[in-house]
Amino acid sequence: MTDGSPLAVAMEEEEYTAMSMEVEESPSPSIVPRDPPKIQRLEESVVNRIAAGEVIQRPVSAVKELVENSLDADSSSISVTVKDGGLKLIQVSDDGHGIRREDLPILCERHTTSKLSKYEDLFSLSSMGFRGEALASMTYVAHVTVTTITKGQIHGHRVSYRDGVMEHEPKACAAVKGTQIMVENLFYNMIARRKTLQNSADDYGKIVDLLSRMAVHHNNVSFSCRKHGAVKADVHSVVSSSRLDSIRSVYGVSVARSLIKVEVSSGESSGCAFYMEGFVSNSNYVAKKTILVLFINDRLVECSALKRAIEIVYAATLPKASKPFVYMSINLPREHVDINIHPTKKEVSLLNQEIMIEMIQSEVELKLRNTNDTRTFEEQKVEYIQSTLKSSRSDTPVSPLPSGQKTPKVPVHKMVRTDSSDPAGRLHAFLQPKPHNLPDNISSLSAVRSSIRQRRNPKETADLSSVQELLSGVDSCCHPGLLDTVRNCTYVGMADDVFALVQYQTHLYLANVVNLSKELMYQQTLRRFAHFNAIQLSDPAPLSELILLALQEEDLDPENYEKDHLKERIAEMNTELLKEKTEMLEEYFNVFIDSDGNLSRLPVILDQYTPDMDRVPEFLLCLGNDVEWEDEKACFQGVSAAIGNFYAMHPPLLPNPSGDGVRFYTKTSEKSSQENPALEGYVEMESVLDQDLLSDAENAWAQREWSIQHVLFPSMRLFLKPPASMASNGTFVKVASLEKLYKIFERC
């Protein structure tokens, strides 16, 4: 390196000139002619490995081939287990017809198949596979083990394959019906391919997406997919009678609710014979990625032209940046489909494809125009709130432990084995069947829980000092210990008609759901003061008749008719009083009474919950008799308490039909005894169940228990501030603790 002096610069210029002269004087090398390279026949192992890289491009390619083989084997149940995105392990088990013992030696050789025997069979093929390359390709890039048993065999056979041949003779083993194929160490001998597939989460997501699509179309087959070692399956579908039920099971209720059915059929006269049926999303569906689940002749394929045509239709319908959900099943003559154009068979070539796509596009556009009347945007807001709650939990700071110190081990007698954030009841999941006749509008648990979280306490409560004082009283009377119990308890199940079992840390409590719900409704009435949604009654109910009915129910001597005139007078006076207060009741509590004295509207206290309408008479009588109308604060407190008592989750008026309660639903009927002529005219009495009344009671009690589990307890965790009185009035009763149970068992 020079220092920049004139002498140094001069020396560098002389050296450069000398080197240039040497280059110019050196003769250019002569070009030696080379012989053409010799064409060689590649070894079969090299050919097979190259072909395997085309057929098995990713782990999802192997899963697709194996699942299609299971479908070809007439399986009714297919289970997939994956480890490290499929690189370490892919295990596919089915209950199909199995593989015969004599076919095992050639099972994994290239171009061995049971699907066709001559080229012409390709044009009338009804099976998924046909080339006989998939299993062979897997053995060249992975270690494959097959366990199978056929009908009538007393034991199965297991054999391992490598490079297309058996590593040993088939070994007898215990096996369940069908076939299990394990693919281990995928791409172990293809280093570059394996390095590009290190993102196991991405590959596992592709496998889940594949099986989700398969489960939607093949609704006569149950599918499951889970990670190795995981208890819960990420895909779990059961056999269903309708395609819409399959979509609901796999993609969720929100997707299924936003779908429109489409059908297109065309005969030979149009030059393009096909039949398409499917479901497309309406304008209420919002997503950032198009989901096209396309099956042609029961084969899962991709069609970029059809996808593009559908997206063009939706571009003018959906909000900006939103994409549709589309499921389509197209059936057409097999000779009009060329399925042999792609190594992984994910694309096909169709005869008259342009005509077919144009007809489908027109039908989808017509359906959207006819159904695009209303649009809702609730789902995105719900998802945002859910994600916010989850992230707030995960971001909670944790105090770091000193370096080198392990997390202290919790003793078994103090270990909490439940999760308070999971509102599912444990007891009912094991002891009681799921009610099958609950209303459709409460079928989605996620929708109920998200709507509960959506309605946070409004901060813009009416600026009335009396309401603020009542709310301050609720805050000041809150019991901190009970507040922590309510926030972090786990619902277990109903112990009887009034008490529910809940677990808090290592303690088990009986909780009075009537008292809890009454207090919750009272507090929510104050918080939502003047900001209520409405329950509109289909038929306005006359106040006088309802109040008179409540008075008759309270009367201990209903046969004393002398008091009827007094009851009617009380009913009239209360009706006139409530008619005078209708303006205030409507403005602040959304209780509307028209000029004729008819009740037509009630407030919504908790979303997704409707009170027991059999208690409306008692509610109206309470408003008329128990409210101090002259004092503002006492008035608001009295009305809120009446609403809280009305909306509380009391036991239904019909007796509980479970256990001995069924006797209340028996009735006696007469039947003539004709067996003995001497007893002609004798009337015999028999007891029979009143099925209609029994069904109503079962529905009412099932509805209440569902509301307690999925509405009351999630709402309590968010909103309830339990008063100190609940610590001593029997609302919470401790029945057991884990520490004491361990001491008892230690003595035993």
Side-chain angles (χ1 to χ4, degrees):
M1 184 174 180
T2 62
D3 56 1
S5 62
L7 179 60
V9 172
M11 290 175 64
E12 284 186 0
E13 290 179 353
E14 289 179 3
E15 290 177 2
Y16 176 76
T17 305
M19 290 174 62
S20 301
M21 293 175 63
E22 290 178 4
V23 171
E24 292 175 358
E25 292 175 359
S26 60
S28 59
S30 58
I31 300 175
V32 180
R34 189 175 63 172
D35 293 336
K38 183 180 179 181
I39 298 176
Q40 300 180 6
R41 186 185 302 275
L42 292 176
E43 295 182 6
E44 187 175 355
S45 60
V46 178
V47 174
N48 291 331
R49 190 169 296 178
I50 294 173
E54 292 182 346
V55 176
I56 308 299
Q57 298 175 355
R58 306 181 68 96
V60 68
S61 305
V63 174
K64 181 175 182 290
E65 297 288 352
L66 294 175
V67 170
E68 287 180 345
N69 284 345
S70 297
L71 291 172
D72 287 339
D74 299 327
S75 303
S76 61
S77 176
I78 300 174
S79 175
V80 179
T81 303
V82 177
K83 185 177 182 180
D84 286 354
L87 293 179
K88 287 284 184 68
L89 171 69
I90 296 173
Q91 178 179 296
V92 178
S93 306
D94 64 58
D95 60 352
H97 52 57
I99 304 169
R100 291 182 295 190
R101 163 68 175 80
E102 53 269 24
D103 291 337
L104 290 176
I106 63 170
L107 174 66
C108 292
E109 292 184 7
R110 290 194 70 198
H111 306 307
T112 56
T113 179
S114 61
K115 315 297 172 51
L116 74 166
S117 58
K118 56 183 184 295
Y119 179 74
E120 287 73 17
D121 295 342
L122 199 62
F123 302 102
S124 59
L125 203 64
S126 60
S127 62
M128 303 289 178
F130 55 89
R131 295 197 192 107
E133 285 185 320
L135 280 175
S137 298
M138 292 178 207
T139 63
Y140 282 96
V141 294
H143 303 131
V144 178
T145 303
V146 178
T147 305
T148 185
I149 185 173
T150 57
K151 185 178 180 180
Q153 287 187 321
I154 59 175
H155 61 77
H157 293 89
R158 179 179 292 122
V159 60
S160 300
Y161 295 87
R162 189 166 184 174
D163 294 340
V165 296
M166 295 191 304
E167 292 187 310
H168 53 78
E169 287 296 315
K171 298 178 181 179
C173 66
V176 295
K177 178 189 176 185
T179 302
Q180 181 190 86
I181 298 181
M182 293 175 56
V183 180
E184 300 174 284
N185 299 320
L186 187 62
F187 303 127
Y188 73 95
N189 52 1
M190 301 176 69
I191 306 301
R193 178 76 62 88
R194 193 176 180 89
K195 286 183 177 179
T196 61
L197 299 174
Q198 288 302 316
N199 189 354
S200 60
D202 183 46
D203 285 290
Y204 183 69
K206 293 180 183 294
I207 294 171
V208 168
D209 179 63
L210 168 75
L211 290 173
S212 299
R213 294 166 184 261
M214 289 283 194
V216 167
H217 183 75
H218 299 281
N219 57 334
N220 59 334
V221 180
S222 64
F223 289 84
S224 71
C225 177
R226 60 168 51 88
K227 290 183 179 179
H228 183 264
V231 177
K232 183 179 179 181
D234 294 291
V235 176
H236 179 69
S237 70
V238 296
V239 176
S240 60
S241 57
S242 71
R243 203 83 68 194
L244 192 60
D245 289 339
S246 298
I247 296 175
R248 183 181 295 107
S249 172
V250 175
Y251 288 99
V253 177
S254 60
V255 176
R257 191 186 296 121
S258 304
L259 297 183
I260 314 165
K261 187 172 183 179
V262 292
E263 287 183 279
V264 182
S265 60
S266 176
E268 293 287 351
S269 58
S270 63
C272 180
F274 76 98
Y275 173 72
M276 184 278 291
E277 65 172 347
F279 294 92
V280 297
S281 57
N282 58 24
S283 56
N284 292 329
Y285 177 81
V286 179
K288 294 183 179 180
K289 182 181 178 182
T290 298
I291 299 179
L292 173 60
V293 183
L294 176 62
F295 283 81
I296 296 180
N297 287 358
D298 296 327
R299 186 184 300 277
L300 179 62
V301 296
E302 297 176 1
C303 183
S304 57
L306 178 59
K307 183 177 180 180
R308 196 160 49 248
I310 293 175
E311 286 181 336
I312 290 173
V313 173
Y314 275 88
T317 306
L318 291 180
K320 186 178 180 181
S322 294
K323 302 294 182 181
F325 176 93
V326 179
Y327 161 77
M328 286 186 181
S329 174
I330 302 176
N331 289 287
L332 63 163
R334 304 190 187 280
E335 59 271 16
H336 291 183
V337 187
D338 187 358
I339 57 178
N340 193 27
I341 66 169
H342 194 276
T344 62
K345 304 187 287 282
K346 72 175 184 178
E347 295 179 2
V348 295
S349 177
L350 306 177
L351 187 65
N352 300 320
Q353 177 173 298
E354 294 79 8
I355 300 175
M356 185 186 308
I357 291 177
E358 184 178 353
M359 295 177 68
I360 293 174
Q361 184 184 34
S362 300
E363 180 64 21
V364 171
E365 184 177 8
L366 180 62
K367 285 285 185 181
L368 288 177
R369 285 182 177 177
N370 292 338
T371 57
N372 190 21
D373 297 331
T374 61
R375 180 179 295 172
T376 59
F377 300 95
E378 296 176 343
E379 291 296 323
Q380 262 195 323
K381 187 173 183 181
V382 170
E383 292 299 325
Y384 169 75
I385 290 175
Q386 283 181 325
S387 62
T388 304
L389 288 172
K390 292 178 181 176
S391 62
S392 65
R393 290 195 197 101
S394 61
D395 295 342
T396 304
V398 180
S399 301
L401 292 170
S403 59
Q405 183 176 347
K406 295 183 178 179
T407 305
K409 185 177 180 180
V410 180
V412 291
H413 64 282
K414 294 185 178 180
M415 187 178 296
V416 180
R417 296 171 174 84
T418 58
D419 181 9
S420 62
S421 63
D422 180 10
R426 271 73 176 173
L427 190 63
H428 289 226
F430 294 98
L431 298 183
Q432 294 187 358
K434 181 180 178 182
H436 59 275
N437 45 10
L438 290 179
D440 294 337
N441 60 347
I442 61 170
S443 60
S444 170
L445 301 189
S446 60
V448 174
R449 293 168 191 154
S450 60
S451 65
I452 289 170
R453 289 169 170 81
Q454 183 179 352
R455 286 299 300 265
R456 308 300 296 181
N457 297 344
K459 301 298 182 184
E460 63 276 11
T461 304
D463 295 328
L464 296 177
S465 59
S466 55
V467 177
Q468 299 299 332
E469 290 175 7
L470 290 172
L471 288 173
S472 298
V474 170
D475 294 337
S476 62
C477 293
C478 179
H479 190 288
L482 289 181
L483 179 63
D484 188 59
T485 302
V486 169
R487 291 285 189 270
N488 300 291
C489 69
T490 300
Y491 175 83
V492 178
M494 292 300 295
D496 59 15
D497 297 347
V498 175
F499 284 93
L501 282 170
V502 297
Q503 181 178 338
Y504 171 66
Q505 295 182 354
T506 58
H507 306 293
L508 190 66
Y509 291 90
L510 284 173
N512 189 316
V513 295
V514 176
N515 290 352
L516 288 169
S517 59
K518 187 183 299 184
E519 182 64 26
L520 174 65
M521 302 301 178
Y522 167 73
Q523 294 181 12
Q524 284 298 94
T525 303
L526 293 177
R527 294 189 184 102
R528 290 190 174 188
F529 188 85
H531 293 85
F532 292 98
N533 290 334
I535 300 174
Q536 192 71 37
L537 303 185
S538 56
D539 296 318
L543 290 185
S544 57
E545 294 182 13
L546 292 174
I547 296 174
L548 185 60
L549 181 61
L551 290 170
Q552 291 172 349
E553 290 177 352
E554 287 186 352
D555 194 350
L556 299 178
D557 186 13
E559 296 183 358
N560 187 357
Y561 301 107
E562 296 178 359
K563 297 181 180 180
D564 287 351
H565 178 70
L566 178 61
K567 294 176 187 175
E568 293 175 358
R569 180 60 183 156
I570 294 174
E572 291 176 3
M573 293 174 60
N574 283 335
T575 300
E576 293 300 322
L577 174 63
L578 294 179
K579 286 170 65 176
E580 293 176 4
K581 307 299 181 182
T582 181
E583 184 177 353
M584 184 271 289
L585 289 173
E586 181 184 9
E587 180 180 358
Y588 293 148
F589 300 99
N590 212 346
V591 176
F592 180 69
I593 300 170
D594 61 23
S595 57
D596 296 328
N598 295 320
L599 177 68
S600 60
R601 192 163 64 232
L602 291 169
V604 174
I605 307 300
L606 283 182
D607 295 303
Q608 303 291 337
Y609 174 67
T610 303
D612 185 358
M613 292 301 172
D614 289 338
R615 298 189 179 273
V616 171
E618 179 187 350
F619 166 61
L620 295 174
L621 182 61
C622 184
L623 282 181
N625 287 350
D626 300 340
V627 176
E628 178 58 54
W629 296 99
E630 302 304 323
D631 181 76
E632 181 181 289
K633 181 179 177 181
C635 174
F636 292 157
Q637 185 178 27
V639 174
S640 299
I643 292 176
N645 183 64
F646 170 42
Y647 280 74
M649 296 184 181
H650 299 277
L653 297 181
L654 291 172
N656 193 335
S658 61
D660 295 337
V662 73
R663 71 178 186 274
F664 293 104
Y665 301 95
T666 57
K667 59 182 181 180
T668 57
S669 62
E670 300 178 356
K671 68 173 185 177
S672 298
S673 178
Q674 299 178 354
E675 297 178 359
N676 190 348
L679 300 177
E680 184 177 355
Y682 174 76
V683 178
E684 183 182 356
M685 307 298 292
E686 65 174 352
S687 297
V688 295
L689 283 175
D690 188 340
Q691 294 295 341
D692 294 337
L693 189 60
L694 179 63
S695 177
D696 292 342
E698 289 175 343
N699 288 343
W701 282 90
Q703 167 72 50
R704 176 178 181 257
E705 292 182 13
W706 192 97
S707 299
I708 290 171
Q709 178 180 353
H710 300 296
V711 177
L712 176 62
F713 274 87
S715 300
M716 283 168 43
R717 293 188 185 97
L718 292 173
F719 305 129
L720 180 63
K721 293 185 177 180
S725 60
M726 284 189 172
S728 56
N729 66 0
T731 300
F732 284 94
V733 180
K734 185 164 72 171
V735 294
S737 66
L738 193 60
E739 294 89 346
K740 292 184 178 179
L741 288 175
Y742 263 87
K743 290 180 180 179
I744 293 172
F745 288 127
E746 284 173 359
R747 296 194 195 104
C748 298

